[in-house]
Amino acid sequence: NVERVLDLGCSIGQSTTALKEKFSEASIWGIDHSAPMLRYAHKRAVDLGVDVNFAQRLAEDNGFPDGHFDLVYSMILFHEIPTRIAEQVLREVARVLRPGGLFVAHDFVNSENSTPLQLYHREYDCRYNGEPYAKQFCRSDFPGMMDAAGLKLQRTIGDGYGFMNTWWAER
């Protein structure tokens, strides 16, 4: 039963409001470090008539109680932050998830076996598209980082094009 959901790095709240549609009875929280994004997210949610909560907090130090959430979700967050911060975020995810809670992350493919096209795309993103940490994330061991944080990988699904993955991990 999903009663409390946390959306990490929620930006303008698109995934936050979608999570509320999916889990209509749950308390949904979206957090982001950017106050302007959160102001827009709040206005957007009010305009849509969707009852969700937003707070300006860091993903790596979010201030919620231990074991508070049934589900923690992130959409394209981890390639936006340095690996050392990603490790802190994953420890924080494990801390705020209840035992048996689910972490779902959707982000760039993370593999040592990248194709030449994937390598080119990451290099281009890093140089010309404002993605300074994307290449670092794509070459890291994200499943290993989750495991080290106490999150047990259950499933990984790719998008079929080799650019995005979704990981499901349980605390």
Side-chain angles (χ1 to χ4, degrees):
N1 192 22
V2 177
E3 296 179 12
R4 289 183 295 273
V5 177
L6 176 60
D7 184 9
L8 297 176
C10 69
S11 181
I12 63 168
Q14 290 171 299
S15 53
T16 316
T17 55
L19 286 162
K20 183 63 172 184
E21 290 174 15
K22 175 69 176 166
F23 304 105
S24 60
E25 300 301 314
S27 171
I28 311 291
W29 281 87
I31 65 168
D32 202 285
H33 74 284
S34 172
M37 291 287 203
L38 291 168
R39 280 193 298 276
Y40 184 82
H42 176 73
K43 180 192 181 323
R44 182 179 172 279
V46 168
D47 290 349
L48 291 171
V50 179
D51 183 23
V52 292
N53 306 289
F54 294 103
Q56 186 178 16
R57 298 183 183 189
L58 297 174
E60 67 271 26
D61 184 20
N62 61 50
F64 288 105
D66 294 357
H68 188 70
F69 291 99
D70 303 300
L71 172 66
V72 176
Y73 179 76
S74 74
M75 174 69 164
I76 60 173
L77 167 67
F78 286 92
H79 78 272
E80 299 287 357
I81 57 180
T83 301
R84 67 181 175 74
I85 301 297
E87 291 167 341
Q88 293 172 14
V89 171
L90 291 169
R91 286 192 299 273
E92 187 73 347
V93 167
R95 184 187 70 76
V96 299
L97 267 177
R98 67 166 170 75
L102 187 64
F103 171 56
V104 179
H106 185 74
D107 216 308
F108 291 167
V109 166
N110 175 266
S111 171
E112 295 177 354
N113 303 318
S114 296
T115 67
L117 178 60
Q118 289 167 324
L119 292 172
Y120 171 78
H121 190 253
R122 289 291 75 83
E123 186 66 33
Y124 184 90
D125 265 359
C126 284
R127 284 189 184 195
Y128 306 111
N129 196 31
E131 299 284 3
Y133 304 110
K135 188 166 54 172
Q136 183 183 44
F137 171 74
C138 291
R139 292 184 177 160
S140 70
D141 177 12
F142 191 59
M145 290 165 50
M146 286 189 286
D147 187 62
L151 301 163
K152 301 304 173 203
L153 185 62
Q154 303 296 311
R155 186 174 179 195
T156 304
I157 293 182
D159 65 1
Y161 300 102
F163 290 102
M164 302 296 285
N165 272 353
T166 303
W167 295 268
W168 284 266
E170 187 176 311
R171 173 166 176 260

